[in-house]
PDB file of all heavy atoms in Angstrom:
ATOM      1  N   LYS Y   1       4.925  13.438  -9.517  1.00 94.00           N
ATOM      2  CA  LYS Y   1       5.405  13.571 -10.832  1.00 94.00           C
ATOM      3  C   LYS Y   1       5.169  12.187 -11.702  1.00 94.00           C
ATOM      4  O   LYS Y   1       5.489  12.217 -12.944  1.00 94.00           O
ATOM      5  CB  LYS Y   1       6.966  13.719 -10.905  1.00 94.00           C
ATOM      6  CG  LYS Y   1       7.817  12.647 -10.218  1.00 94.00           C
ATOM      7  CD  LYS Y   1       9.312  13.032 -10.127  1.00 94.00           C
ATOM      8  CE  LYS Y   1      10.195  12.000  -9.479  1.00 94.00           C
ATOM      9  NZ  LYS Y   1      11.605  12.340  -9.380  1.00 94.00           N
ATOM     10  N   ASN Y   2       4.508  11.303 -11.071  1.00 95.00           N
ATOM     11  CA  ASN Y   2       4.155  10.064 -11.973  1.00 95.00           C
ATOM     12  C   ASN Y   2       2.854   9.619 -11.409  1.00 95.00           C
ATOM     13  O   ASN Y   2       2.691   9.086 -10.352  1.00 95.00           O
ATOM     14  CB  ASN Y   2       5.295   9.021 -11.689  1.00 95.00           C
ATOM     15  CG  ASN Y   2       5.134   7.925 -12.585  1.00 95.00           C
ATOM     16  OD1 ASN Y   2       4.047   7.269 -12.797  1.00 95.00           O
ATOM     17  ND2 ASN Y   2       6.166   7.461 -13.340  1.00 95.00           N
ATOM     18  N   ASN Y   3       1.836   9.599 -12.291  1.00 94.00           N
ATOM     19  CA  ASN Y   3       0.465   9.174 -11.991  1.00 94.00           C
ATOM     20  C   ASN Y   3       0.255   7.676 -11.876  1.00 94.00           C
ATOM     21  O   ASN Y   3      -0.775   7.202 -11.516  1.00 94.00           O
ATOM     22  CB  ASN Y   3      -0.547   9.862 -12.873  1.00 94.00           C
ATOM     23  CG  ASN Y   3      -0.372   9.400 -14.284  1.00 94.00           C
ATOM     24  OD1 ASN Y   3       0.320   8.473 -14.634  1.00 94.00           O
ATOM     25  ND2 ASN Y   3      -0.995  10.046 -15.278  1.00 94.00           N
ATOM     26  N   HIS Y   4       1.351   6.963 -12.068  1.00 96.00           N
ATOM     27  CA  HIS Y   4       1.217   5.340 -11.756  1.00 96.00           C
ATOM     28  C   HIS Y   4       1.457   5.165 -10.280  1.00 96.00           C
ATOM     29  O   HIS Y   4       1.254   4.011  -9.976  1.00 96.00           O
ATOM     30  CB  HIS Y   4       2.260   4.702 -12.711  1.00 96.00           C
ATOM     31  CG  HIS Y   4       1.976   4.606 -14.070  1.00 96.00           C
ATOM     32  ND1 HIS Y   4       1.143   3.799 -14.703  1.00 96.00           N
ATOM     33  CD2 HIS Y   4       2.451   5.392 -15.080  1.00 96.00           C
ATOM     34  CE1 HIS Y   4       0.996   4.026 -15.969  1.00 96.00           C
ATOM     35  NE2 HIS Y   4       1.926   4.893 -16.289  1.00 96.00           N
ATOM     36  N   ILE Y   5       1.854   6.172  -9.509  1.00 97.00           N
ATOM     37  CA  ILE Y   5       2.385   5.918  -8.171  1.00 97.00           C
ATOM     38  C   ILE Y   5       1.276   6.410  -7.145  1.00 97.00           C
ATOM     39  O   ILE Y   5       0.694   7.517  -7.274  1.00 97.00           O
ATOM     40  CB  ILE Y   5       3.657   6.595  -7.958  1.00 97.00           C
ATOM     41  CG1 ILE Y   5       4.768   6.044  -8.777  1.00 97.00           C
ATOM     42  CG2 ILE Y   5       4.081   6.399  -6.400  1.00 97.00           C
ATOM     43  CD1 ILE Y   5       6.025   6.815  -8.808  1.00 97.00           C
ATOM     44  N   ARG Y   6       1.025   5.505  -6.259  1.00 97.00           N
ATOM     45  CA  ARG Y   6       0.027   5.912  -5.109  1.00 97.00           C
ATOM     46  C   ARG Y   6       0.744   5.654  -3.846  1.00 97.00           C
ATOM     47  O   ARG Y   6       1.296   4.585  -3.614  1.00 97.00           O
ATOM     48  CB  ARG Y   6      -1.200   5.139  -5.318  1.00 97.00           C
ATOM     49  CG  ARG Y   6      -2.248   5.283  -4.181  1.00 97.00           C
ATOM     50  CD  ARG Y   6      -3.717   5.015  -4.690  1.00 97.00           C
ATOM     51  NE  ARG Y   6      -3.842   3.600  -5.258  1.00 97.00           N
ATOM     52  CZ  ARG Y   6      -4.320   2.697  -4.587  1.00 97.00           C
ATOM     53  NH1 ARG Y   6      -4.738   2.785  -3.233  1.00 97.00           N
ATOM     54  NH2 ARG Y   6      -4.387   1.468  -5.095  1.00 97.00           N
ATOM     55  N   VAL Y   7       0.559   6.589  -2.885  1.00 98.00           N
ATOM     56  CA  VAL Y   7       1.335   6.534  -1.560  1.00 98.00           C
ATOM     57  C   VAL Y   7       0.180   6.375  -0.458  1.00 98.00           C
ATOM     58  O   VAL Y   7      -0.809   7.121  -0.452  1.00 98.00           O
ATOM     59  CB  VAL Y   7       2.169   7.734  -1.271  1.00 98.00           C
ATOM     60  CG1 VAL Y   7       2.755   7.666   0.122  1.00 98.00           C
ATOM     61  CG2 VAL Y   7       3.196   7.763  -2.336  1.00 98.00           C
ATOM     62  N   ILE Y   8       0.364   5.355   0.382  1.00 98.00           N
ATOM     63  CA  ILE Y   8      -0.362   5.253   1.570  1.00 98.00           C
ATOM     64  C   ILE Y   8       0.466   5.613   2.800  1.00 98.00           C
ATOM     65  O   ILE Y   8       1.680   5.225   2.827  1.00 98.00           O
ATOM     66  CB  ILE Y   8      -0.966   3.736   1.701  1.00 98.00           C
ATOM     67  CG1 ILE Y   8      -1.744   3.385   0.657  1.00 98.00           C
ATOM     68  CG2 ILE Y   8      -1.646   3.601   3.126  1.00 98.00           C
ATOM     69  CD1 ILE Y   8      -2.146   1.890   0.650  1.00 98.00           C
ATOM     70  N   ASN Y   9       0.136   6.506   3.767  1.00 97.00           N
ATOM     71  CA  ASN Y   9       0.871   7.001   4.707  1.00 97.00           C
ATOM     72  C   ASN Y   9       0.424   6.553   6.145  1.00 97.00           C
ATOM     73  O   ASN Y   9      -0.697   6.866   6.507  1.00 97.00           O
ATOM     74  CB  ASN Y   9       1.000   8.568   4.690  1.00 97.00           C
ATOM     75  CG  ASN Y   9       2.104   9.057   5.617  1.00 97.00           C
ATOM     76  OD1 ASN Y   9       3.139   8.686   5.510  1.00 97.00           O
ATOM     77  ND2 ASN Y   9       1.633   9.989   6.426  1.00 97.00           N
ATOM     78  N   HIS Y  10       1.189   5.860   6.918  1.00 97.00           N
ATOM     79  CA  HIS Y  10       0.923   5.628   8.292  1.00 97.00           C
ATOM     80  C   HIS Y  10       1.687   6.628   9.107  1.00 97.00           C
ATOM     81  O   HIS Y  10       2.857   6.723   9.041  1.00 97.00           O
ATOM     82  CB  HIS Y  10       1.406   4.200   8.639  1.00 97.00           C
ATOM     83  CG  HIS Y  10       0.656   3.055   7.996  1.00 97.00           C
ATOM     84  ND1 HIS Y  10       1.190   1.845   7.960  1.00 97.00           N
ATOM     85  CD2 HIS Y  10      -0.508   3.042   7.215  1.00 97.00           C
ATOM     86  CE1 HIS Y  10       0.254   1.088   7.323  1.00 97.00           C
ATOM     87  NE2 HIS Y  10      -0.737   1.825   6.932  1.00 97.00           N
ATOM     88  N   GLU Y  11       0.951   7.426   9.883  1.00 95.00           N
ATOM     89  CA  GLU Y  11       1.646   8.330  10.838  1.00 95.00           C
ATOM     90  C   GLU Y  11       2.389   7.653  11.834  1.00 95.00           C
ATOM     91  O   GLU Y  11       3.496   8.248  12.196  1.00 95.00           O
ATOM     92  CB  GLU Y  11       0.597   9.402  11.417  1.00 95.00           C
ATOM     93  CG  GLU Y  11      -0.164  10.167  10.457  1.00 95.00           C
ATOM     94  CD  GLU Y  11       0.746  11.277   9.862  1.00 95.00           C
ATOM     95  OE1 GLU Y  11       1.834  11.616  10.510  1.00 95.00           O
ATOM     96  OE2 GLU Y  11       0.396  11.738   8.755  1.00 95.00           O
ATOM     97  N   ILE Y  12       1.944   6.509  12.303  1.00 96.00           N
ATOM     98  CA  ILE Y  12       2.655   5.768  13.345  1.00 96.00           C
ATOM     99  C   ILE Y  12       2.928   4.413  12.797  1.00 96.00           C
ATOM    100  O   ILE Y  12       2.249   3.822  12.057  1.00 96.00           O
ATOM    101  CB  ILE Y  12       1.759   5.617  14.620  1.00 96.00           C
ATOM    102  CG1 ILE Y  12       1.495   6.946  15.173  1.00 96.00           C
ATOM    103  CG2 ILE Y  12       2.419   4.707  15.705  1.00 96.00           C
ATOM    104  CD1 ILE Y  12       0.433   6.931  16.316  1.00 96.00           C
ATOM    105  N   ASN Y  13       4.122   3.870  13.060  1.00 95.00           N
ATOM    106  CA  ASN Y  13       4.552   2.575  12.551  1.00 95.00           C
ATOM    107  C   ASN Y  13       3.503   1.392  12.947  1.00 95.00           C
ATOM    108  O   ASN Y  13       3.215   1.314  14.180  1.00 95.00           O
ATOM    109  CB  ASN Y  13       5.999   2.322  13.053  1.00 95.00           C
ATOM    110  CG  ASN Y  13       6.438   0.825  12.483  1.00 95.00           C
ATOM    111  OD1 ASN Y  13       6.362  -0.063  13.240  1.00 95.00           O
ATOM    112  ND2 ASN Y  13       6.922   0.811  11.335  1.00 95.00           N
ATOM    113  N   GLN Y  14       3.026   0.729  11.944  1.00 94.00           N
ATOM    114  CA  GLN Y  14       2.128  -0.271  12.254  1.00 94.00           C
ATOM    115  C   GLN Y  14       2.747  -1.717  12.120  1.00 94.00           C
ATOM    116  O   GLN Y  14       2.179  -2.711  12.553  1.00 94.00           O
ATOM    117  CB  GLN Y  14       0.961  -0.293  11.242  1.00 94.00           C
ATOM    118  CG  GLN Y  14       0.223   1.097  11.227  1.00 94.00           C
ATOM    119  CD  GLN Y  14      -0.558   1.316  12.425  1.00 94.00           C
ATOM    120  OE1 GLN Y  14      -1.221   0.368  13.044  1.00 94.00           O
ATOM    121  NE2 GLN Y  14      -0.470   2.591  13.032  1.00 94.00           N
ATOM    122  N   GLY Y  15       3.960  -1.837  11.631  1.00 93.00           N
ATOM    123  CA  GLY Y  15       4.594  -3.103  11.558  1.00 93.00           C
ATOM    124  C   GLY Y  15       4.366  -3.779  10.190  1.00 93.00           C
ATOM    125  O   GLY Y  15       3.330  -3.439   9.371  1.00 93.00           O
ATOM    126  N   TYR Y  16       5.214  -4.694   9.799  1.00 93.00           N
ATOM    127  CA  TYR Y  16       5.167  -5.316   8.526  1.00 93.00           C
ATOM    128  C   TYR Y  16       3.864  -5.991   8.127  1.00 93.00           C
ATOM    129  O   TYR Y  16       3.312  -5.862   7.065  1.00 93.00           O
ATOM    130  CB  TYR Y  16       6.377  -6.257   8.347  1.00 93.00           C
ATOM    131  CG  TYR Y  16       6.279  -7.018   7.062  1.00 93.00           C
ATOM    132  CD1 TYR Y  16       6.708  -6.400   5.819  1.00 93.00           C
ATOM    133  CD2 TYR Y  16       5.867  -8.274   7.029  1.00 93.00           C
ATOM    134  CE1 TYR Y  16       6.679  -7.266   4.685  1.00 93.00           C
ATOM    135  CE2 TYR Y  16       5.795  -9.023   5.871  1.00 93.00           C
ATOM    136  CZ  TYR Y  16       6.212  -8.462   4.571  1.00 93.00           C
ATOM    137  OH  TYR Y  16       6.032  -9.111   3.466  1.00 93.00           O
ATOM    138  N   GLY Y  17       3.390  -6.851   9.104  1.00 93.00           N
ATOM    139  CA  GLY Y  17       2.231  -7.659   8.910  1.00 93.00           C
ATOM    140  C   GLY Y  17       1.009  -6.909   8.470  1.00 93.00           C
ATOM    141  O   GLY Y  17       0.445  -7.129   7.468  1.00 93.00           O
ATOM    142  N   LEU Y  18       0.655  -5.895   9.265  1.00 95.00           N
ATOM    143  CA  LEU Y  18      -0.450  -5.044   8.898  1.00 95.00           C
ATOM    144  C   LEU Y  18      -0.258  -4.350   7.617  1.00 95.00           C
ATOM    145  O   LEU Y  18      -1.166  -4.170   6.809  1.00 95.00           O
ATOM    146  CB  LEU Y  18      -0.740  -4.067  10.067  1.00 95.00           C
ATOM    147  CG  LEU Y  18      -2.052  -3.240   9.979  1.00 95.00           C
ATOM    148  CD1 LEU Y  18      -2.678  -2.989  11.257  1.00 95.00           C
ATOM    149  CD2 LEU Y  18      -1.782  -1.986   9.142  1.00 95.00           C
ATOM    150  N   THR Y  19       0.973  -3.812   7.387  1.00 97.00           N
ATOM    151  CA  THR Y  19       1.241  -3.015   6.242  1.00 97.00           C
ATOM    152  C   THR Y  19       1.201  -3.855   5.065  1.00 97.00           C
ATOM    153  O   THR Y  19       0.466  -3.362   3.977  1.00 97.00           O
ATOM    154  CB  THR Y  19       2.682  -2.448   6.396  1.00 97.00           C
ATOM    155  OG1 THR Y  19       2.658  -1.594   7.460  1.00 97.00           O
ATOM    156  CG2 THR Y  19       3.039  -1.702   5.151  1.00 97.00           C
ATOM    157  N   ILE Y  20       1.702  -5.083   4.959  1.00 96.00           N
ATOM    158  CA  ILE Y  20       1.750  -5.825   3.688  1.00 96.00           C
ATOM    159  C   ILE Y  20       0.231  -6.347   3.536  1.00 96.00           C
ATOM    160  O   ILE Y  20      -0.112  -6.470   2.283  1.00 96.00           O
ATOM    161  CB  ILE Y  20       2.813  -7.026   3.719  1.00 96.00           C
ATOM    162  CG1 ILE Y  20       2.958  -7.574   2.345  1.00 96.00           C
ATOM    163  CG2 ILE Y  20       2.391  -8.098   4.784  1.00 96.00           C
ATOM    164  CD1 ILE Y  20       3.604  -6.644   1.418  1.00 96.00           C
ATOM    165  N   LYS Y  21      -0.366  -6.697   4.491  1.00 96.00           N
ATOM    166  CA  LYS Y  21      -1.773  -7.136   4.337  1.00 96.00           C
ATOM    167  C   LYS Y  21      -2.541  -5.999   3.730  1.00 96.00           C
ATOM    168  O   LYS Y  21      -3.452  -6.185   2.814  1.00 96.00           O
ATOM    169  CB  LYS Y  21      -2.399  -7.547   5.632  1.00 96.00           C
ATOM    170  CG  LYS Y  21      -3.767  -8.041   5.577  1.00 96.00           C
ATOM    171  CD  LYS Y  21      -4.308  -8.550   6.989  1.00 96.00           C
ATOM    172  CE  LYS Y  21      -5.768  -9.028   6.834  1.00 96.00           C
ATOM    173  NZ  LYS Y  21      -6.189  -9.471   8.206  1.00 96.00           N
ATOM    174  N   GLU Y  22      -2.495  -4.754   4.165  1.00 97.00           N
ATOM    175  CA  GLU Y  22      -3.106  -3.641   3.661  1.00 97.00           C
ATOM    176  C   GLU Y  22      -2.796  -3.423   2.164  1.00 97.00           C
ATOM    177  O   GLU Y  22      -3.751  -3.176   1.354  1.00 97.00           O
ATOM    178  CB  GLU Y  22      -2.765  -2.378   4.407  1.00 97.00           C
ATOM    179  CG  GLU Y  22      -3.366  -1.154   3.913  1.00 97.00           C
ATOM    180  CD  GLU Y  22      -2.869   0.064   4.695  1.00 97.00           C
ATOM    181  OE1 GLU Y  22      -1.599   0.210   4.880  1.00 97.00           O
ATOM    182  OE2 GLU Y  22      -3.723   0.967   5.191  1.00 97.00           O
ATOM    183  N   LEU Y  23      -1.573  -3.613   1.762  1.00 97.00           N
ATOM    184  CA  LEU Y  23      -1.063  -3.461   0.431  1.00 97.00           C
ATOM    185  C   LEU Y  23      -1.689  -4.570  -0.472  1.00 97.00           C
ATOM    186  O   LEU Y  23      -2.009  -4.302  -1.689  1.00 97.00           O
ATOM    187  CB  LEU Y  23       0.482  -3.513   0.375  1.00 97.00           C
ATOM    188  CG  LEU Y  23       1.136  -2.164   0.687  1.00 97.00           C
ATOM    189  CD1 LEU Y  23       2.662  -2.421   1.053  1.00 97.00           C
ATOM    190  CD2 LEU Y  23       0.924  -1.126  -0.302  1.00 97.00           C
ATOM    191  N   TYR Y  24      -1.827  -5.706   0.015  1.00 97.00           N
ATOM    192  CA  TYR Y  24      -2.301  -6.806  -0.746  1.00 97.00           C
ATOM    193  C   TYR Y  24      -3.691  -6.448  -1.303  1.00 97.00           C
ATOM    194  O   TYR Y  24      -4.095  -6.578  -2.444  1.00 97.00           O
ATOM    195  CB  TYR Y  24      -2.443  -8.088   0.113  1.00 97.00           C
ATOM    196  CG  TYR Y  24      -1.192  -8.896   0.373  1.00 97.00           C
ATOM    197  CD1 TYR Y  24      -1.105  -9.709   1.399  1.00 97.00           C
ATOM    198  CD2 TYR Y  24      -0.075  -8.803  -0.509  1.00 97.00           C
ATOM    199  CE1 TYR Y  24       0.063 -10.460   1.673  1.00 97.00           C
ATOM    200  CE2 TYR Y  24       0.990  -9.426  -0.311  1.00 97.00           C
ATOM    201  CZ  TYR Y  24       1.088 -10.384   0.852  1.00 97.00           C
ATOM    202  OH  TYR Y  24       2.311 -11.020   1.045  1.00 97.00           O
ATOM    203  N   PHE Y  25      -4.451  -5.919  -0.308  1.00 96.00           N
ATOM    204  CA  PHE Y  25      -5.871  -5.516  -0.661  1.00 96.00           C
ATOM    205  C   PHE Y  25      -5.994  -4.180  -1.403  1.00 96.00           C
ATOM    206  O   PHE Y  25      -6.999  -3.850  -1.991  1.00 96.00           O
ATOM    207  CB  PHE Y  25      -6.840  -5.565   0.604  1.00 96.00           C
ATOM    208  CG  PHE Y  25      -7.043  -7.119   1.133  1.00 96.00           C
ATOM    209  CD1 PHE Y  25      -6.228  -7.643   1.971  1.00 96.00           C
ATOM    210  CD2 PHE Y  25      -7.960  -7.818   0.489  1.00 96.00           C
ATOM    211  CE1 PHE Y  25      -6.412  -8.957   2.465  1.00 96.00           C
ATOM    212  CE2 PHE Y  25      -8.234  -9.111   0.900  1.00 96.00           C
ATOM    213  CZ  PHE Y  25      -7.386  -9.769   1.980  1.00 96.00           C
ATOM    214  N   ALA Y  26      -5.039  -3.385  -1.215  1.00 97.00           N
ATOM    215  CA  ALA Y  26      -5.030  -2.040  -1.922  1.00 97.00           C
ATOM    216  C   ALA Y  26      -4.794  -2.190  -3.489  1.00 97.00           C
ATOM    217  O   ALA Y  26      -5.253  -1.369  -4.227  1.00 97.00           O
ATOM    218  CB  ALA Y  26      -4.025  -1.098  -1.339  1.00 97.00           C
ATOM    219  N   ALA Y  27      -4.106  -3.290  -3.784  1.00 97.00           N
ATOM    220  CA  ALA Y  27      -3.855  -3.504  -5.181  1.00 97.00           C
ATOM    221  C   ALA Y  27      -5.030  -3.734  -6.070  1.00 97.00           C
ATOM    222  O   ALA Y  27      -5.920  -4.530  -5.566  1.00 97.00           O
ATOM    223  CB  ALA Y  27      -2.963  -4.725  -5.397  1.00 97.00           C
ATOM    224  N   GLN Y  28      -5.093  -3.207  -7.217  1.00 96.00           N
ATOM    225  CA  GLN Y  28      -6.356  -3.248  -8.013  1.00 96.00           C
ATOM    226  C   GLN Y  28      -6.107  -3.917  -9.404  1.00 96.00           C
ATOM    227  O   GLN Y  28      -7.118  -4.231 -10.008  1.00 96.00           O
ATOM    228  CB  GLN Y  28      -6.752  -1.737  -8.389  1.00 96.00           C
ATOM    229  CG  GLN Y  28      -7.095  -1.061  -6.987  1.00 96.00           C
ATOM    230  CD  GLN Y  28      -7.627   0.412  -7.331  1.00 96.00           C
ATOM    231  OE1 GLN Y  28      -7.448   0.855  -8.359  1.00 96.00           O
ATOM    232  NE2 GLN Y  28      -8.011   1.105  -6.270  1.00 96.00           N
ATOM    233  N   LYS Y  29      -4.986  -4.286  -9.754  1.00 97.00           N
ATOM    234  CA  LYS Y  29      -4.749  -4.856 -11.017  1.00 97.00           C
ATOM    235  C   LYS Y  29      -4.825  -6.478 -10.971  1.00 97.00           C
ATOM    236  O   LYS Y  29      -4.887  -7.075  -9.921  1.00 97.00           O
ATOM    237  CB  LYS Y  29      -3.451  -4.463 -11.583  1.00 97.00           C
ATOM    238  CG  LYS Y  29      -3.132  -2.944 -11.596  1.00 97.00           C
ATOM    239  CD  LYS Y  29      -4.231  -2.267 -12.454  1.00 97.00           C
ATOM    240  CE  LYS Y  29      -4.002  -0.745 -12.412  1.00 97.00           C
ATOM    241  NZ  LYS Y  29      -4.994  -0.036 -13.208  1.00 97.00           N
ATOM    242  N   THR Y  30      -4.734  -7.099 -12.116  1.00 96.00           N
ATOM    243  CA  THR Y  30      -4.935  -8.511 -12.172  1.00 96.00           C
ATOM    244  C   THR Y  30      -3.821  -9.329 -11.538  1.00 96.00           C
ATOM    245  O   THR Y  30      -4.042 -10.383 -10.951  1.00 96.00           O
ATOM    246  CB  THR Y  30      -5.020  -8.964 -13.621  1.00 96.00           C
ATOM    247  OG1 THR Y  30      -6.075  -8.222 -14.363  1.00 96.00           O
ATOM    248  CG2 THR Y  30      -5.309 -10.523 -13.738  1.00 96.00           C
ATOM    249  N   ILE Y  31      -2.615  -8.888 -11.747  1.00 96.00           N
ATOM    250  CA  ILE Y  31      -1.419  -9.601 -11.060  1.00 96.00           C
ATOM    251  C   ILE Y  31      -0.820  -8.639 -10.109  1.00 96.00           C
ATOM    252  O   ILE Y  31      -0.628  -7.375 -10.245  1.00 96.00           O
ATOM    253  CB  ILE Y  31      -0.377  -9.962 -12.111  1.00 96.00           C
ATOM    254  CG1 ILE Y  31      -1.014 -10.847 -13.138  1.00 96.00           C
ATOM    255  CG2 ILE Y  31       0.871 -10.581 -11.493  1.00 96.00           C
ATOM    256  CD1 ILE Y  31      -1.470 -12.259 -12.712  1.00 96.00           C
TER     257      ILE Y  31
END
């Protein structure tokens, strides 16, 4: 319902470290 939102799905829990690192590099904007 909102095209500003993108979801990444891990079928199996990967833990915070891998997840936040993945998110850091998934971000595409300036800030």
Side-chain angles (χ1 to χ4, degrees):
K1 63 186 180 183
N2 190 308
N3 60 13
H4 288 282
I5 298 170
R6 176 155 54 103
V7 176
I8 300 171
N9 189 57
H10 293 169
E11 293 294 335
I12 300 173
N13 180 260
Q14 302 294 314
Y16 172 81
L18 186 148
T19 298
I20 196 66
K21 181 177 179 179
E22 178 184 50
L23 282 166
Y24 286 155
F25 288 96
Q28 298 177 353
K29 306 303 180 182
T30 304
I31 302 296

